[in-house]
Amino acid sequence: MVLQFVYTAVSTVIPPKYWPHAIVGATVLVVLYAYAQGRQTTRERDLHGRIVLLTGPFTPLGLVALTALATRGAHVIALSQYPLTHPVPSLILSLLRSTTKNENIFAEHCDLNSPTSIRKFCTSFLTGNETRLDALVFAHEYPSIGRIWFFGGRARQAKEEREEAQREAASLASFLLSTLLLPALLVAPVERDIRIVHAVNPFYAAALPKFPSFLNSTPSSKPEAQPLIIAEGHRALRTIVLTRHFQRILDSLPNRAADPKAAKSSEPPAPQPSNIISVAACPGVSRRDTIAPFLGASEREWSLAYLVLFLPLMLVTKSSDAALQTLLHVLFLPTELKRAQAKVDAEEEKTPTPRRRGNVEVLKPGALYRECAVVPLDVPRPPAPASAPEKGKKGKAPAEASALEDDGEYGGEAVGRAVWEWYEARLKEWE
């Protein structure tokens, strides 16, 4: 009776002669949805005892990241833009403590739009009793900034200037936090695995054609008005280049303690990379973090356009859980340092290590990850400077250029240095 009733109901809605078409259409929709959700990480990691500093914890991506870290036992310090007495941090964190059975979830007030608030938090953290950090996750950079606007005039110009100021503030907040907390990372034991992860939006490729004009401009020059997607792409591409250059600086610093075994040998110690790894992770096109802000939907505002387009967007964009996979992938991947240390420990204990077939993926320092894989990006380089400097001018730039190894990745050392100088100059104006 039940099957007969179901058959009659389905036949009434869709005649039997259209069933093949319906099956093909449903299969296409399922495949499209699965493709849009992207890859899932196959890695897992026990984070008990690890201290993770998370920015943007109450954004859609930040909430799922906070839940995933807490579920795996991490000690999470969430930087909240709300006061600690606000209902958002007090209610959400208490709920997470009970659901994840992890009491080591804390919130600290830090307004990332205020350099004074950032410096106050960093000073309080560095002067505290516990200054250990195993990971910095900058999730606040990922949500889109800006709304599609179909009107012109002064209102549009004022909107674009206000949104550009918000983009710069988000980027400069990560730069300021990284540099202020760097002393605590450098004094950590060399065997400790420390990671700095920047979550970037997926529009970095749109900014590649116009990136040379940004490199040729002075850091103090006024930014040009650009379309919304390109402006968001510039913000992401700046962060990607900065991440790679920051890794060059980390690898050049004498932040590794002397190895007692190497001290006994007469051979000079071989240069070793830093145990601090800086990477950029692109979660992809998320429905809540990427598309919703463009359509004017936020935690405080609703959008008719977002409601009308919700079903199509659900098929072709990622959920927050799917967008989190790349972020978790770069946090879970083993590093080359850890694999080398495991081999040394196995030789000392004279225990046979299990053989693994094929190559084991390790985290690439300074790289951009998307869909749980490294993304090669050809960033245009600025024109080469003159071979001989003019008289009366300082030769500071060539000296700095020779101090860091030019690996050629993401524009090379010259592009990285130009972006770094832009951050320094804009940070001075911001403060």
Side-chain angles (χ1 to χ4, degrees):
M1 292 295 294
V2 177
L3 294 179
Q4 184 178 2
F5 175 76
V6 172
Y7 176 81
T8 304
V10 173
S11 301
T12 303
V13 178
I14 303 176
K17 64 178 181 179
Y18 294 114
W19 283 6
H21 306 80
I23 293 174
V24 171
T27 304
V28 169
L29 292 179
V30 170
V31 171
L32 180 62
Y33 177 79
Y35 179 79
Q37 298 309 300
R39 292 178 58 186
Q40 291 189 352
T41 180
T42 58
R43 294 287 178 173
E44 191 55 64
R45 186 183 180 191
D46 184 11
L47 297 178
H48 283 85
R50 308 286 182 175
I51 301 179
V52 181
L53 181 69
L54 176 65
T55 65
F58 304 119
T59 61
L61 180 68
L63 281 174
V64 293
L66 181 60
T67 305
L69 294 173
T71 303
R72 290 164 176 83
H75 182 128
V76 185
I77 303 175
L79 296 190
S80 170
Q81 72 272 26
Y82 304 101
L84 299 184
T85 56
H86 194 275
V88 171
S90 59
L91 294 178
I92 290 180
L93 293 188
S94 61
L95 181 62
L96 282 176
R97 293 190 190 103
S98 61
T99 55
T100 61
K101 298 181 181 180
N102 185 355
E103 296 296 328
N104 297 320
I105 308 174
F106 305 96
E108 294 289 343
H109 175 63
C110 182
D111 185 7
L112 298 181
N113 293 318
S114 170
T116 304
S117 180
I118 295 175
R119 288 189 176 274
K120 182 180 178 181
F121 163 75
C122 292
T123 302
S124 175
F125 180 83
L126 294 175
T127 55
N129 296 329
E130 181 61 59
T131 60
R132 170 172 177 167
L133 282 175
D134 295 278
L136 302 178
V137 181
F138 297 112
H140 73 280
E141 296 185 68
Y142 175 61
S144 301
I145 298 176
R147 180 177 181 179
I148 298 176
W149 194 262
F150 298 101
F151 304 99
R154 296 182 178 179
R156 183 190 184 97
Q157 183 179 0
K159 180 190 78 72
E160 292 176 350
E161 292 178 355
R162 182 172 62 254
E163 292 170 353
E164 185 62 30
Q166 294 175 2
R167 295 187 188 99
E168 287 191 5
S171 300
L172 294 175
S174 301
F175 180 73
L176 184 58
L177 274 171
S178 301
T179 53
L180 291 179
L181 296 176
L182 186 59
L185 306 181
L186 294 177
V187 299
V190 295
E191 63 272 9
R192 182 179 298 171
D193 178 14
I194 303 176
R195 310 188 185 196
I196 303 175
V197 182
H198 295 261
V200 298
N201 65 66
F203 304 114
Y204 49 85
L208 286 174
K210 291 193 175 182
F211 201 64
S213 62
F214 164 76
L215 297 174
N216 294 329
S217 62
T218 59
S220 58
S221 60
K222 186 177 180 181
E224 300 178 359
Q226 297 173 342
L228 183 58
I229 299 298
I230 296 180
E232 283 290 282
H234 267 291
R235 177 166 68 106
L237 192 56
R238 282 197 309 258
T239 303
I240 293 169
V241 175
L242 175 72
T243 301
R244 186 64 193 94
H245 192 71
F246 193 39
Q247 187 64 50
R248 297 189 190 100
I249 295 176
L250 291 173
D251 291 339
S252 66
L253 292 176
N255 60 343
R256 299 188 59 84
D259 189 356
K261 295 183 179 181
K264 296 179 181 178
S265 63
S266 58
E267 299 180 359
Q272 297 181 356
S274 174
N275 64 314
I276 308 172
I277 296 182
S278 176
V279 295
C282 177
V285 182
S286 170
R287 185 164 55 253
R288 289 292 294 118
D289 282 301
T290 307
I291 303 299
F294 286 163
L295 300 178
S298 64
E299 59 182 6
R300 297 181 180 180
E301 299 179 358
W302 67 279
S303 171
L304 180 60
Y306 181 72
L307 294 177
V308 171
L309 298 174
F310 181 78
L311 290 179
L313 290 176
M314 189 171 62
L315 287 175
V316 298
T317 58
K318 288 185 177 182
S319 63
S320 297
D321 290 318
L324 181 65
Q325 296 303 307
T326 300
L327 201 63
L328 293 179
H329 192 69
V330 298
L331 289 174
F332 294 167
L333 275 179
T335 61
E336 194 67 38
L337 179 65
K338 281 294 182 182
R339 286 182 52 79
Q341 185 65 34
K343 292 180 181 179
V344 172
D345 295 341
E347 292 178 359
E348 290 180 351
E349 298 176 0
K350 296 182 180 180
T351 57
T353 56
R355 295 184 179 181
R356 298 185 178 181
R357 298 180 179 178
N359 297 326
V360 177
E361 182 185 6
V362 295
L363 186 65
K364 183 179 179 181
L368 166 66
Y369 279 80
R370 183 170 181 176
E371 302 300 337
C372 303
V374 177
V375 178
L377 200 61
D378 187 13
V379 179
R381 298 193 179 194
S387 58
E390 298 181 5
K391 295 183 179 181
K393 291 189 177 181
K394 297 181 180 180
K396 184 176 179 182
E400 291 181 353
S402 60
L404 300 177
E405 181 181 358
D406 189 1
D407 47 27
E409 293 187 353
Y410 302 137
E413 192 273 340
V415 175
R417 178 159 40 88
V419 173
W420 184 278
E421 291 174 353
W422 180 90
Y423 272 89
E424 289 182 333
R426 300 301 292 181
L427 182 59
K428 292 179 180 179
E429 296 183 5
W430 191 45
E431 293 185 299

